[in-house]
């Protein structure tokens, strides 16, 4: 590999680590557009291209510490960053700037430990739990769909060393409140048991730390650090699928913590039974404690959440609008929040009261955005992958159970996510009539109601379609 390619890869690693330390939209706005130009090994100079002076000021201002911390870890302690500002990209005119002298900067930054990583001290120093302080129990509204996980979470928070539910495995589709709930548990534990070492980490971040530690030859420190934790919370554990090395490391950490009576809390977008690419012995361990589902919010909970967000934002929204939104956007709490924000923005921009007409517009737009790209082809492809059947099978007349299941699911999802009529769906899927399609839809819905595993597989397909 040429050294330029290798440096480019190093810069990509930097981006990966940065991504774990900033919000998604910040990453997209400020970091994604950065162009890696070169890294001069003898001068240890990293040259990065940015679109304007404004970008330079942001990167060399609020984000300076983060960037330097990451670059130093990956390119070496005394690397310097020089920005090339494309002042006129059409004529390729650029100026090069560097912030204040890197040496001065380094001195100042080294006192700072904003870089949240396993740089953390192993025992005596206080650990930064990396918990989100906005995700508390008092603002995690209770409803039928989250009652059980919520109360189990509370009981673990009160007695984190009892080990009755260890690990606690919380699963549920995107936006139903998993991240919120596990942070609330962590915060409550810190409040009631300040001496416990609580750590929240996203599975992706865990993976990045693991690969870094392998590369920097401090794998033992990595394992040791995690073994000192009293309450380990790993969010979105499904992201470790197919990451065999990371799974192995996690396996060791898990065993050590469990054996020593330390609490482990995991979240996932699916039930362990439908997790692919995860080692069997890990899946078995996930089920040792308690597995509980955070279900999609029901109408009542949607209403309660909406009302609380509305109150928080000081908005006035009539009962029928609240009902309308709760009725139509009940897939995820995240959607509800987005809708409340859009309603507020609309009412401010247009200086209008929030009425049902505005709500309809906003809801339609939010939901349309989600299903914008779903095509029949994509549905068929996703269904085939899930149950390992071919497209010919779907279009064939085969009555084999797994093929029928895949075919019927494709029909059901096509009706839900595309604008095709049932007759058209039948026509496209092997020339069936509309009655067959209606029958298929009913079969799928009935089965989803009684077969959790199947329901989970269908929702997995749906989340892939929306991704
Ligand atoms: P997930 O991790 O399951 O994808 P999050 O925990 O990120 O979902 O939740 C999405 C958003 O919805 C967050 O802003 C969270 O605060 C909010 N939320 C979820 N459930 C509730 C609830 N029961 N009460 C209040 N807010 C909630
Ligand atoms: Mg989450």
């Amino acid at each position: 590999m040429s050294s330029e390619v290798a440096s480019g890869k190093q810069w990509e690693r930097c981006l990966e680590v940065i991504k774990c330390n900033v919000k998604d939209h910040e990453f997209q706005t400020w970091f994604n557009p950065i162009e890696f130009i070169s890294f001069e090994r003898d001068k240890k100079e990293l040259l990065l291209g940015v679109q304007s002076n404004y970008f330079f000021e942001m990167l060399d201002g609020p984000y300076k510490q983060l960037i330097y911390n990451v670059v130093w870890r990956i390119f070496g302690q005394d690397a310097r960053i020089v920005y090339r500002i494309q002042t006129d990209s059409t004529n390729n005119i650029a100026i090069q700037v560097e912030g204040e002298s890197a040496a001065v900067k380094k001195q100042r930054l080294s006192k700072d430990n904003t870089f949240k990583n396993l740089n953390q001290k192993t025992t005596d120093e206080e650990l930064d739990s990396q918990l989100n302080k906005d995700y508390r129990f008092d603002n995690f509204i209770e409803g039928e769909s989250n009652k059980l996980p919520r109360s189990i979470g509370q009981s673990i928070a009160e007695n984190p060393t009892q080990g009755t539910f260890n690990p606690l495995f919380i699963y549920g589709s995107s936006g139903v409140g998993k991240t919120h709930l596990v942070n609330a548990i962590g915060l409550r534990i810190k409040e009631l048991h300040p001496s416990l070492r609580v750590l929240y980490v996203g599975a992706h971040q865990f993976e990045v730390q693991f690969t870094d530690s392998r590369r920097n030859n401090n794998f033992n420190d990595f394992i040791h650090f995690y073994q000192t934790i009293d309450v380990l919370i790993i969010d979105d554990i499904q992201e470790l699928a197919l990451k065999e090395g990371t799974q192995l490391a996690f396996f060791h950490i898990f065993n050590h913590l469990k054996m020593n009576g330390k609490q482990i809390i995991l979240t996932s977008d699916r039930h362990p039974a439908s997790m692919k690419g995860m080692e069997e012995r890990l899946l078995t361990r996930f089920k040792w404690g308690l597995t509980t589902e955070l279900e999609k919010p029901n109408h009542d909970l949607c209403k309660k959440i909406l009302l609380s967000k509305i109150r928080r934002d000081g908005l006035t929204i009539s009962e029928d609008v609240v009902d309308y939104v709760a009725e139509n956007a009940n897939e995820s709490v995240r959607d509800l929040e987005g809708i409340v924000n859009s309603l507020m923005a609309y009412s401010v921009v247009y200086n209008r009261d929030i009425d049902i007409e505005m709500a309809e517009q906003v809801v339609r737009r939010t939901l349309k955005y989600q299903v914008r790209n779903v095509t029949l082809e994509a549905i068929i492809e996703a269904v085939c992958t899930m149950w390992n059947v071919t497209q010919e099978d779907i279009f064939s007349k085969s009555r084999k159970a797994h093929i029928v299941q895949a075919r019927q699911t494709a029909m059901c999802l096509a009706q839900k996510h595309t604008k095709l009529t049932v007759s058209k769906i039948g026509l496209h899927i092997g020339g069936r009539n509309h009655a067959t399609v209606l029958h298929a839809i009913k079969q799928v819905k009935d089965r989803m109601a009684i077969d959790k595993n199947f329901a989970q597989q269908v929702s997995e397909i749906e989340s892939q379609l929306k991704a």
Side-chain angles (χ1 to χ4, degrees):
M1 194 177 344
S2 82
S3 86
E4 208 58 346
V5 173
S7 309
K9 287 232 166 350
Q10 277 178 297
W11 172 244
E12 273 170 30
R13 300 275 312 135
C14 290
L15 285 179
E16 270 174 50
V17 179
I18 289 170
K19 200 170 184 179
C20 300
N21 282 271
V22 297
K23 299 212 173 76
D24 203 38
H25 66 90
E26 289 175 271
F27 182 80
Q28 295 307 341
T29 313
W30 304 111
F31 299 96
N32 220 9
I34 300 176
E35 186 198 350
F36 166 78
I37 301 172
S38 64
F39 178 65
E40 282 202 39
R41 285 200 182 269
D42 37 358
K43 285 204 259 166
K44 294 218 166 175
E45 193 179 85
L46 174 64
L47 184 58
L48 299 174
V50 293
Q51 285 130 295
S52 68
N53 201 34
Y54 187 45
F55 272 79
F56 163 67
E57 277 170 12
M58 280 306 285
L59 297 171
D60 202 58
Y63 294 118
K64 183 167 59 181
Q65 296 184 331
L66 173 66
I67 297 201
Y68 262 96
N69 275 319
V70 177
V71 164
W72 283 339
R73 277 177 64 97
I74 293 180
F75 284 91
Q77 272 301 319
D78 31 339
R80 289 182 315 130
I81 304 176
V82 176
Y83 291 96
R84 178 180 290 172
I85 304 170
Q86 256 354 91
T87 52
D88 181 348
S89 57
T90 43
N91 295 313
N92 220 7
I93 299 172
I95 51 166
Q96 253 164 247
V97 283
E98 192 185 355
E100 55 184 283
S101 126
V104 177
K105 235 177 303 180
K106 186 173 163 192
Q107 215 176 19
R108 196 151 51 74
L109 299 182
S110 55
K111 293 199 193 84
D112 209 275
N113 68 354
T114 42
F115 180 44
K116 296 166 178 163
N117 213 314
L118 69 150
N119 279 340
Q120 310 221 29
K121 293 289 170 287
T122 41
T123 37
D124 18 342
E125 269 186 41
E126 211 194 321
L127 171 83
D128 176 356
S129 292
Q130 305 201 34
L131 291 161
N132 183 336
K133 307 228 165 9
D134 295 330
Y135 289 165
R136 301 177 309 268
F137 272 116
D138 66 55
N139 61 4
F140 188 73
I141 298 163
E142 184 179 322
E144 278 307 310
S145 59
N146 63 23
K147 206 180 180 116
L148 184 67
R150 190 180 191 280
S151 69
I152 291 167
Q154 276 176 320
S155 100
I156 288 183
E158 275 152 32
N159 291 302
T161 48
Q162 208 168 46
T164 327
F165 307 119
N166 198 15
L168 172 64
F169 190 99
I170 300 172
Y171 71 97
S173 56
S174 167
V176 292
K178 300 181 294 294
T179 299
H180 189 138
L181 178 58
V182 293
N183 274 277
I185 300 173
L187 288 171
R188 177 66 62 81
I189 295 177
K190 287 297 297 171
E191 201 178 295
L192 300 175
H193 314 269
S195 64
L196 291 183
R197 290 166 62 80
V198 180
L199 181 72
Y200 167 91
V201 62
H204 180 67
Q205 195 184 352
F206 180 83
E207 145 88 5
V208 170
Q209 292 175 351
F210 164 74
T211 26
D212 265 3
S213 79
R214 289 292 292 269
R215 207 166 23 79
N216 300 332
N217 280 329
N218 58 0
F219 175 65
N220 287 338
D221 294 347
F222 168 83
I223 294 279
H224 180 58
F225 167 74
Y226 273 96
Q227 288 179 340
T228 66
I229 304 297
D230 297 309
V231 179
L232 176 62
I233 303 170
I234 303 196
D235 206 359
D236 292 314
I237 196 80
Q238 78 280 349
E239 288 181 7
L240 297 191
L242 300 176
K243 310 276 162 65
E244 283 153 24
T246 320
Q247 286 182 31
L248 183 65
F250 177 62
F251 179 73
H252 286 301
I253 293 166
F254 183 103
N255 287 342
H256 181 94
L257 295 182
K258 170 86 185 162
M259 215 164 63
N260 289 285
K262 312 294 187 185
Q263 179 69 44
I264 302 152
I265 301 173
L266 306 170
T267 77
S268 161
D269 68 354
R270 65 204 75 178
H271 188 277
S274 39
M275 246 192 246
K276 293 198 199 87
M278 195 72 88
E279 276 198 50
E280 199 49 48
R281 55 185 185 171
L282 270 180
L283 293 177
T284 321
R285 277 164 178 75
F286 291 166
K287 290 181 264 178
W288 274 356
L290 186 94
T291 303
T292 177
E293 179 176 11
L294 258 183
E295 292 171 29
K296 290 187 177 149
N298 64 10
H299 183 76
D300 227 38
L301 180 59
C302 283
K303 264 185 83 167
K304 277 204 260 179
I305 292 174
L306 277 170
L307 289 171
S308 103
K309 309 261 177 230
I310 290 165
R311 222 175 298 124
R312 180 200 64 190
D313 293 341
L315 295 173
T316 37
I317 301 184
S318 67
E319 177 88 17
D320 57 336
V321 171
V322 171
D323 262 326
Y324 174 83
V325 175
E327 191 69 49
N328 287 283
N330 53 9
E331 286 286 301
S332 105
V333 181
R334 195 174 287 129
D335 291 350
L336 288 176
E337 288 190 327
I339 288 169
V340 172
N341 291 342
S342 302
L343 285 174
M344 180 157 69
Y346 266 61
S347 77
V348 171
V349 173
Y350 297 109
N351 193 17
R352 255 174 65 187
D353 284 340
I354 296 169
D355 55 18
I356 196 97
E357 194 192 333
M358 189 192 291
E360 271 174 6
Q361 251 182 346
V362 168
V363 168
R364 217 178 310 126
R365 214 167 272 192
T366 310
L367 302 184
K368 190 167 100 200
Y369 171 74
Q370 289 175 349
V371 295
R372 70 195 191 284
N373 277 331
V374 178
T375 62
L376 188 62
E377 290 71 31
I379 291 173
I380 292 175
E381 203 181 291
V383 163
C384 287
T385 315
M386 173 62 75
W387 288 298
N388 207 8
V389 300
T390 64
Q391 304 220 353
E392 289 86 83
D393 290 336
I394 298 280
F395 301 126
S396 74
K397 301 265 180 269
S398 166
R399 301 298 309 157
K400 282 191 188 138
H402 72 290
I403 295 177
V404 172
Q405 167 180 293
R407 188 186 297 132
Q408 290 186 331
T409 307
M411 290 176 172
C412 182
L413 292 179
Q415 194 245 353
K416 186 166 166 198
H417 294 290
T418 70
K419 291 204 173 60
L420 295 171
T421 61
V422 280
S423 314
K424 282 258 165 61
I425 294 170
L427 194 71
H428 287 302
I429 303 187
R432 269 99 177 160
N433 64 23
H434 85 285
T436 312
V437 179
L438 288 176
H439 173 72
I441 294 168
K442 185 172 178 320
Q443 292 283 102
V444 171
K445 286 190 173 157
D446 288 352
R447 174 141 180 223
M448 281 175 73
I450 50 166
D451 180 346
K452 276 229 142 138
N453 199 9
F454 174 69
Q456 182 69 31
Q457 289 173 326
V458 174
S459 84
E460 212 173 291
I461 297 175
E462 287 186 288
S463 50
Q464 269 173 25
L465 292 171
K466 289 178 193 166

